[in-house]
Amino acid sequence: MFIRNQFVQNKLVLHLMEKEEYELLTTSSNQEEYLLWKRNKRNTDIVRVSLKQYDWKRELEASVQQVEKKVIQNIQLPLFQQNISFHHIFIAEYEPVDSWSDLMKRDSSVPKIDTSFVYIWSQHHEEEFSRFFQKAQLNHALTFSIPENLFELEYQTELLKHRIQQIHKNAEKEILAVFNRGKPRLSYILIAINIILFFLLEYRGGSTNPETLIQFGAKYNVGMMEGEWWRIITSMFLHIGIFHLALNMLALYFIGTLVERIYGNIRFIIIYFLAGLAGGMASFALNPSIAAGASGALFGLFGALLFFGMKNPRIFFKTMGMNVIFIVILNIIFGVFVPQVDNGAHIGGLIGGFIASGIVMLPKSKAFMQQLIAVVIFVFYVFGLLAYGLTNDEVQYNETLQIQRVQQLVEAEQYNEVTEIVTETLPYADQLEAELLFYRSFANIHLESFDQAKRDLEKAVEQKSEFEEAWYNLALLYQQEDEYNKAMHATEQLLDLDSENNSYQELFQELQRAEN
């Protein structure tokens, strides 16, 4: 009798949902078929409970394969899934005419599904539920009696259906509640601030102009080493070029509003700034270049979503899990292969955001000791990055970074500082050693240390034979010291590089007259 099978079907489904913590995935419009699943660590069990009747094994097998393929295409599975088992339970009046025993347990032909089980329950084969409970490793036994009275049977079946739908609706309401804990006001404010400051940068000299960026508070290791630590915060609101701004603001619009809805306004802004702080500190420790952007804070928001996924894996993987993980991995890989991307800030912000989420915790979560531990971890993390950055001479004495600093000092006529910085930087120089030597010689000329200036210039032209400015200054120093042969050789090198230059021609003629 069909109504009897409906009762058994709904009794089993309700048991799986209430006692075994299975989640309802889908149900057919006529409720003849339910799909449920349960994830346990790295194992996933998918259960199909169907009232469909199959007369032949081939029809049954075709249905099994079709459903498995469709389910795998339409659900998000957890990352690093170790084992997936699919259980097909058919509640039928009779079994297929031909033998179907080889379908009881088999290796699925559908990718990602490891094992497929088929069970056919009937009044003559009630032991099939026991086999299912054993294979699925269920914890609670299912006992029930089928009402004899038809009206009672129909009534109880409708009650079971209603209860199943009620549990499913409550689960959906729970998900909606998770994503409506705060209205995303602060995300929009942050977007507005970033856009306003970008146009102010453009107006004052250009968002790609290093001097303008430094003036407005970009991450600049030289300034930070001199005490300008506020740059970690200000750099979060500056962007280099319209593409950089557009990319980050799109991320803030989609990811920021999502995190703000999940965590609420106050928790969101705390995570955002703590992640930005961690990302900025990682950039200081690992990246010598001038840097700006909200990327560290944005990756911190990804970290917040991963923390949410750790605390609510069911909701996380049902709604956004694989997408978030894919985007994070893609961005990290992109950062590794694209030199201009500040991957240190990205990873530093990601870790910082994850830890910061442990500090603020999710709404309605009480875990004071865990929060205290997270605070300690965050402090050690940030100060660890700071200590590493302060002692990472290869970054802090990066030749490109120090050249920019030396140029500023030369313009300010701070020549003693120039000689000190160049001397400290030269052991770490690679491609710009000649330029550093030139600037030190320039400073020594003004400090009247002419011998040291000549030695630096001689090394500079030895390393870079086409260095005209170095040859010219060296020729003048030789002339000043009455070393006319050396001065003439230097001038000849200049004329070989640029025979049309009037200054070189005049110096050559002047040296010829002096020799005569």
Side-chain angles (χ1 to χ4, degrees):
M1 183 184 291
F2 186 75
I3 186 63
R4 180 197 62 204
N5 290 350
Q6 276 191 321
F7 174 84
V8 174
Q9 176 202 39
N10 286 278
K11 197 74 175 179
L12 175 60
V13 170
L14 186 60
H15 175 84
L16 292 175
M17 294 175 71
E18 288 188 324
K19 300 295 184 181
E20 305 293 346
E21 298 181 350
Y22 273 76
E23 179 185 352
L24 182 63
L25 283 173
T26 60
T27 179
S28 61
S29 58
N30 56 6
Q31 294 181 300
E32 285 189 2
E33 191 161 285
Y34 292 93
L35 273 173
L36 306 97
W37 72 343
K38 179 181 181 181
R39 285 159 292 186
N40 182 20
K41 295 182 180 179
R42 292 187 179 180
N43 299 323
T44 296
D45 284 296
I46 304 173
V47 178
R48 171 192 182 192
V49 186
S50 177
L51 295 176
K52 293 181 179 179
Q53 178 74 59
Y54 295 96
D55 298 328
W56 300 95
K57 173 199 166 184
R58 66 175 180 274
E59 296 175 348
L60 178 62
E61 187 173 15
S63 172
V64 166
Q65 292 179 351
Q66 181 181 5
V67 170
E68 288 180 358
K69 185 177 181 181
K70 184 177 180 181
V71 169
I72 292 300
Q73 288 176 344
N74 289 282
I75 65 171
Q76 286 189 340
L77 292 167
L79 194 64
F80 307 123
Q81 190 64 54
Q82 196 173 58
N83 184 66
I84 301 175
S85 298
F86 209 119
H87 304 267
H88 300 264
I89 304 172
F90 297 95
I91 300 173
E93 291 296 323
Y94 50 85
E95 300 178 18
V97 174
D98 49 348
S99 175
W100 58 277
S101 58
D102 57 326
L103 300 180
M104 288 183 175
K105 180 182 178 181
R106 64 187 184 89
D107 295 331
S108 177
S109 60
V110 177
K112 297 184 180 180
I113 296 178
D114 299 281
T115 313
S116 177
F117 300 91
V118 173
Y119 316 85
I120 300 180
W121 182 94
S122 68
Q123 280 191 314
H124 304 291
H125 294 282
E126 295 182 354
E127 72 281 359
E128 284 292 273
F129 279 179
S130 298
R131 187 166 67 89
F132 162 62
F133 275 54
Q134 180 185 3
K135 297 297 183 184
Q137 298 181 353
L138 303 185
N139 299 315
H140 302 88
L142 171 63
T143 57
F144 62 90
S145 60
I146 301 174
E148 296 291 338
N149 184 280
L150 180 59
F151 293 106
E152 177 66 17
L153 181 59
E154 290 178 347
Y155 175 71
Q156 291 295 332
T157 301
E158 289 302 318
L159 285 180
L160 292 172
K161 288 181 180 180
H162 178 75
R163 177 62 182 156
I164 291 169
Q165 293 302 318
Q166 190 62 46
I167 293 174
H168 184 55
K169 287 180 181 178
N170 290 341
E172 290 181 336
K173 287 180 181 178
E174 179 187 352
I175 294 174
L176 289 174
V178 164
F179 293 102
N180 285 283
R181 288 169 175 163
K183 294 183 178 180
R185 299 187 182 94
L186 295 178
S187 298
Y188 299 141
I189 292 173
L190 289 171
I191 290 172
I193 293 172
N194 279 279
I195 292 174
I196 291 170
L197 286 175
F198 175 79
F199 284 109
L200 184 60
L201 273 176
E202 290 291 327
Y203 178 73
R204 291 296 182 87
S207 63
T208 58
N209 186 323
E211 293 182 4
T212 306
L213 287 166
I214 293 171
Q215 180 185 355
F216 274 79
K219 191 226 72 170
Y220 180 47
N221 283 25
V222 170
M224 293 166 70
M225 292 285 282
E226 295 174 352
E228 298 175 354
W229 297 105
W230 45 266
R231 290 182 177 275
I232 290 180
I233 301 300
T234 55
S235 64
M236 293 166 55
F237 296 93
L238 306 177
H239 289 84
I240 304 172
I242 188 67
F243 180 75
H244 188 206
L245 174 74
L247 195 65
N248 278 357
M249 291 307 98
L250 279 173
L252 185 52
Y253 178 78
F254 289 107
I255 305 300
T257 54
L258 176 60
V259 172
E260 194 169 358
R261 289 182 186 278
I262 293 173
Y263 284 85
N265 307 109
I266 301 301
R267 289 180 176 85
F268 162 77
I269 205 67
I270 292 173
I271 293 170
Y272 188 85
F273 277 101
L274 289 182
L277 171 64
M281 197 62 75
S283 179
F284 166 76
L286 302 171
N287 177 23
S289 303
I290 296 170
S295 301
L298 291 172
F299 266 77
L301 299 182
F302 281 117
L305 292 178
L306 294 176
F307 182 85
F308 167 75
M310 185 185 72
K311 291 294 184 180
N312 295 277
R314 181 178 63 84
I315 297 176
F316 179 72
F317 283 105
K318 183 177 181 179
T319 55
M320 58 185 167
M322 291 304 298
N323 292 331
V324 170
I325 293 170
F326 175 76
I327 292 171
V328 170
I329 294 174
L330 183 65
N331 276 274
I332 291 174
I333 293 173
F334 180 75
V336 169
F337 290 101
V338 179
Q340 293 82 4
V341 175
D342 193 347
N343 217 33
H346 290 182
I347 297 175
L350 178 71
I351 297 172
F354 186 88
I355 301 172
S357 302
I359 294 174
V360 301
M361 276 294 173
L362 290 161
K364 299 181 181 180
S365 297
K366 295 181 180 180
F368 177 75
M369 186 55 65
Q370 292 181 29
Q371 290 175 279
L372 183 61
I373 293 172
V375 170
V376 174
I377 293 173
F378 187 83
V379 170
F380 272 96
Y381 175 59
V382 171
F383 278 94
L385 288 171
L386 173 61
Y388 180 77
L390 291 172
T391 57
N392 189 1
D393 291 341
E394 290 186 4
V395 167
Q396 305 312 336
Y397 290 105
N398 173 268
E399 57 186 1
T400 303
L401 181 71
Q402 296 303 329
I403 283 285
Q404 295 172 340
R405 184 183 183 189
V406 164
Q407 289 171 341
Q408 293 175 338
L409 292 172
V410 166
E411 290 178 4
E413 299 182 357
Q414 298 179 17
Y415 300 119
N416 284 315
E417 288 84 347
V418 170
T419 60
E420 291 176 7
I421 291 168
V422 171
T423 302
E424 292 172 341
T425 305
L426 279 171
Y428 307 98
D430 181 21
Q431 297 179 347
L432 300 177
E433 185 176 353
E435 285 77 3
L436 287 166
L437 289 167
F438 174 79
Y439 279 114
R440 188 169 69 176
S441 72
F442 186 84
N444 279 318
I445 289 172
H446 284 82
L447 294 171
E448 299 184 355
S449 298
F450 300 117
D451 289 339
Q452 179 61 51
K454 281 195 295 182
R455 286 194 291 271
D456 284 344
L457 288 171
E458 286 168 351
K459 290 181 182 178
V461 297
E462 182 181 343
Q463 293 182 9
K464 190 176 180 180
S465 59
E466 71 279 8
F467 200 160
E468 292 184 36
E469 294 86 347
W471 279 115
Y472 186 72
N473 285 0
L474 187 58
L476 293 176
L477 284 174
Y478 285 145
Q479 181 187 33
Q480 179 179 305
E481 299 291 326
D482 296 329
E483 298 181 66
Y484 292 109
N485 289 335
K486 291 183 178 180
M488 183 64 74
H489 172 71
T491 307
E492 288 171 350
Q493 294 295 322
L494 285 170
L495 290 171
D496 287 341
L497 292 170
D498 186 1
S499 61
E500 303 298 324
N501 188 296
N502 292 331
S503 297
Y504 302 164
Q505 292 174 357
E506 291 173 4
L507 178 59
F508 182 77
Q509 294 169 3
E510 187 177 337
L511 289 171
Q512 281 184 324
R513 287 194 297 270
E515 284 184 334
N516 297 330

